[in-house]
Amino acid sequence: MLITQSAGKFLKRKSSLQIGDDQIDLSIPVVMGIVNVTPDSFYDGGKMEDEANMLKAVETMIADGVTIVDVGAVSTRPGADSVSTKEELARLLPAVQAIRKEFPDVALSVDTFRSWVAVRVIDEVGAIIVNDISGGTLDSKMFETVGRLQVPYILSHIKGTPQTMQDDPYYDDIIKDISSYFAEKVKRLTKLGVQDVVIDPGFGFGKTLDHNYELLNRLDSFKVFQLPVMAGLSRKSMIWQALDIEAKDALNGTSVANTMALLGGADILRVHDVKEAVEAVKIFCEIKASIK
């Protein structure tokens, strides 16, 4: 297939991420903990807006084995209201500054689709990972910015915007379509000097329930890119809708989905519940070690 033949030429298989002077080893899958400093988070209901609550949550994540803490200040759930750059920074900067001061050794990621936000955060706290749910579609300067800043970039797939992405999404072939999307964007990022790219198929971002499970079942299709893969499945509607429960009750389903993602080649699990995800990684590693 043309896509698979050409995609592997972009970069050699990456088994680490370079964040400033620090390196994250991805030879064993790692866990990214979610910190949403928004008033309308679907999971924690805005509890992280309080600095003391947020720092306590990060402390627990670190104790539970988190490798990366991902901080976001704009809700990207389906139909979420848009937020200005000014408001995003007003929420985000105090949070990342507090985390960096209290936990200077933890790797930080910022969940933003705005290049200017990434610049401001890096100016304040140093090198971070930029986690862009839009794959550069919502800010034309994002790719050149991360190339100039020389920071890792999480390239996510999305169809539409958070406001429109669930309006009857359609694919001719979801794996081929998303692979074409990644092929074109990885090529652009490489030409702009981005050294560390992680691909995220974007579970829930412009996908039906069936689309999401086909993606999960065929996650190993993206190994052809020779790049780390992130899976963000935590308590998403694809889990609680399938189980006919609410997001607050979807931990067990999340653990099952995370395990399937690990079996499909995921290198990073982005989660709300760090302890359970770390345990899933440990079990996966035991299974992998048993294969002779």
Side-chain angles (χ1 to χ4, degrees):
M1 192 172 85
L2 180 59
I3 292 170
T4 61
Q5 288 174 347
S6 61
K9 297 179 182 178
F10 296 141
L11 295 171
K12 294 181 179 180
R13 172 66 183 173
K14 299 287 290 187
S15 60
S16 64
L17 294 177
Q18 192 70 37
I19 310 175
D21 295 329
D22 299 320
Q23 191 173 76
I24 295 177
D25 180 13
L26 296 178
S27 60
I28 294 174
V30 302
V31 173
M32 172 187 284
I34 300 168
V35 174
N36 286 322
V37 287
T38 59
D40 55 351
S41 169
F42 82 90
Y43 175 58
D44 56 41
K47 292 179 182 177
M48 297 290 189
E49 283 192 296
D50 179 82
E51 184 176 298
N53 287 341
M54 178 196 67
L55 291 176
K56 181 64 177 175
V58 173
E59 182 179 33
T60 299
M61 289 180 182
I62 293 171
D64 288 340
V66 82
T67 298
I68 306 164
V69 173
D70 186 52
V71 189
V74 176
S75 176
T76 53
R77 72 184 191 283
D81 293 334
S82 59
V83 173
S84 69
T85 303
K86 181 179 179 180
E87 179 63 24
E88 182 179 3
L89 284 169
R91 297 172 181 175
L92 189 60
L93 285 178
V96 294
Q97 288 168 336
I99 295 170
R100 178 65 85 213
K101 180 179 179 181
E102 193 73 17
F103 310 106
D105 296 329
V106 72
L108 280 179
S109 169
V110 169
D111 182 358
T112 186
F113 54 80
R114 292 177 168 125
S115 59
W116 177 237
V117 171
V119 170
R120 284 294 311 277
V121 172
I122 291 168
D123 283 345
E124 292 291 334
V125 302
I128 58 166
I129 299 168
V130 176
N131 180 16
D132 176 10
I133 61 99
S134 83
T137 61
L138 297 179
D139 185 336
S140 62
K141 295 182 179 179
M142 179 60 89
F143 284 10
E144 64 184 70
T145 298
V146 292
R148 175 170 53 83
L149 295 172
Q150 286 294 291
V151 293
Y153 178 70
I154 299 175
L155 169 66
S156 298
H157 175 269
I158 189 172
K159 198 175 184 71
T161 69
Q163 290 72 38
T164 65
M165 62 188 179
Q166 292 308 108
D167 295 347
D168 195 26
Y170 171 79
Y171 300 87
D172 290 323
D173 180 309
I174 191 166
I175 300 300
K176 288 183 180 179
D177 290 355
I178 293 178
S179 293
S180 294
Y181 170 100
F182 282 145
E184 185 270 330
K185 290 179 181 291
V186 169
K187 186 174 182 179
R188 285 172 52 199
L189 286 162
T190 303
K191 286 183 176 179
L192 289 166
V194 181
Q195 299 296 313
D196 290 288
V197 179
V198 177
I199 58 175
D200 175 1
F203 290 99
F205 286 86
K207 285 94 178 171
T208 65
L209 190 70
D210 288 344
H211 289 148
N212 285 314
Y213 280 102
E214 183 175 359
L215 268 183
L216 183 56
N217 186 43
R218 299 174 64 190
L219 191 63
D220 61 352
S221 300
F222 301 111
K223 289 181 180 179
V224 67
F225 288 95
Q226 298 295 299
L227 295 171
V229 175
M230 185 172 83
L233 296 151
S234 185
R235 297 180 182 265
K236 286 191 172 177
S237 61
M238 63 176 283
I239 296 170
W240 53 261
Q241 285 183 1
L243 298 175
D244 194 24
I245 57 176
E246 296 181 12
K248 66 181 180 64
D249 301 316
L251 175 55
N252 185 58
T254 295
S255 294
V256 174
N258 280 336
T259 303
M260 297 304 296
L262 291 168
L263 291 169
D267 300 282
I268 303 173
L269 297 179
R270 183 177 183 272
V271 302
H272 298 91
D273 308 282
V274 170
K275 178 176 180 289
E276 291 79 4
V278 169
E279 289 175 351
V281 170
K282 289 178 179 178
I283 296 297
F284 165 76
C285 289
E286 292 292 338
I287 295 170
K288 192 173 180 181
S290 73
I291 300 173
K292 305 301 183 183

